[in-house]
Amino acid sequence: MKRKLVARAKKGDKQAFEALMHDEKEKLYKMAFIYMKNENDALEVFQETVLNAFTSIHLLKEDRYFSTWITRILINTALRILKNKKNIVPIDQGMIEEGGQEEHGGVEVQIDLMNALNEIEEKYKTVLLLRYYEDYSVKQISVFLECPEGTVKTNIRRGLGQLKSKLKGVYVIERQNSII
């Protein structure tokens, strides 16, 4: 079904593109928010991503990789905007208020994890978000980032190590898959 929508969208069908975006919007916004750390900037990244995807969907080579393709556009857009702004906005009060009890821990755990994620190198943050937040496989991340699977595995391992050292043993992480 999704591949048919992608094929129609590539031919200029706006309704098909809207349907695809309806399926992806929540995931994309969450990812944008993680990078930008505030609602306004996250919305800016999201909107720019949608515009870029809409105008360049005809360039998508493999219809089955639509989700990966648009996520990559979002990450590149977020990184470009962050680079242009040269300022990192701390987690705002809205995130704390809306956080509630998350699937993987309370608000405090989520805030500590977000702070730790924001302090690690960008390449590690990206692979950890794709692996544990978006649930992509190592192979998918490898294709997505255009780098060898071994590099992805190394970056995941090093990123997890940096996270653990940032969290300084306050939290016991039972399984690596439960990080995000």
Side-chain angles (χ1 to χ4, degrees):
M1 176 71 177
K2 193 170 188 175
R3 286 187 192 177
K4 289 180 183 180
L5 284 174
V6 173
R8 286 181 26 218
K10 285 171 73 173
K11 292 178 183 173
D13 185 337
K14 292 178 185 176
Q15 290 176 333
F17 186 79
E18 286 176 21
L20 288 167
M21 289 312 304
H22 180 73
D23 291 344
E24 299 286 331
K25 68 183 176 186
E26 187 175 330
K27 175 188 77 166
L28 292 173
Y29 175 77
K30 286 178 181 179
M31 181 74 84
F33 192 87
I34 287 171
Y35 273 92
M36 305 312 291
K37 300 170 199 67
N38 73 60
E39 184 177 355
N40 291 332
D41 288 344
L43 287 172
E44 178 185 348
V45 167
F46 176 77
Q47 290 172 344
E48 195 167 322
T49 298
V50 172
L51 178 64
N52 288 342
F54 182 73
T55 59
S56 62
I57 193 164
H58 63 281
L59 300 174
L60 176 62
K61 295 175 185 167
E62 296 270 345
D63 293 356
R64 64 187 170 159
Y65 292 126
F66 175 79
S67 184
T68 303
W69 174 77
I70 198 161
T71 302
R72 183 176 187 154
I73 291 173
L74 182 122
I75 291 171
N76 289 337
T77 301
L79 293 175
R80 181 180 45 76
I81 289 174
L82 282 172
K83 184 177 177 183
N84 290 341
K85 289 189 178 203
K86 293 283 185 194
N87 65 346
I88 297 176
V89 180
I91 295 176
D92 67 348
Q93 188 65 30
M95 182 176 177
I96 295 169
E97 291 169 359
E98 294 172 11
Q101 294 295 318
E102 297 285 333
E103 179 180 333
H104 300 292
V107 174
E108 297 83 14
V109 175
Q110 292 298 315
I111 291 170
D112 289 343
L113 182 58
M114 290 304 298
N115 286 335
L117 265 174
N118 289 327
E119 293 177 13
I120 67 173
E121 290 181 50
E122 205 63 51
K123 65 183 177 180
Y124 301 141
K125 177 180 175 179
T126 299
V127 295
L128 290 176
L129 288 172
L130 290 172
R131 178 69 184 111
Y132 298 108
Y133 184 76
E134 294 296 329
D135 204 30
Y136 285 119
S137 69
V138 170
K139 184 176 180 91
Q140 289 171 316
I141 297 169
S142 171
V143 170
F144 185 75
L145 297 178
E146 297 176 348
C147 65
E149 287 182 41
T151 301
V152 172
K153 290 177 184 176
T154 299
N155 287 345
I156 289 171
R157 188 174 58 254
R158 289 179 181 168
L160 289 172
Q162 283 190 10
L163 270 183
K164 286 177 184 177
S165 72
K166 296 287 181 195
L167 293 171
K168 294 183 176 101
V170 174
Y171 300 101
V172 176
I173 300 173
E174 295 175 14
R175 291 182 22 221
Q176 286 183 349
N177 288 342
S178 68
I179 285 189
I180 298 177

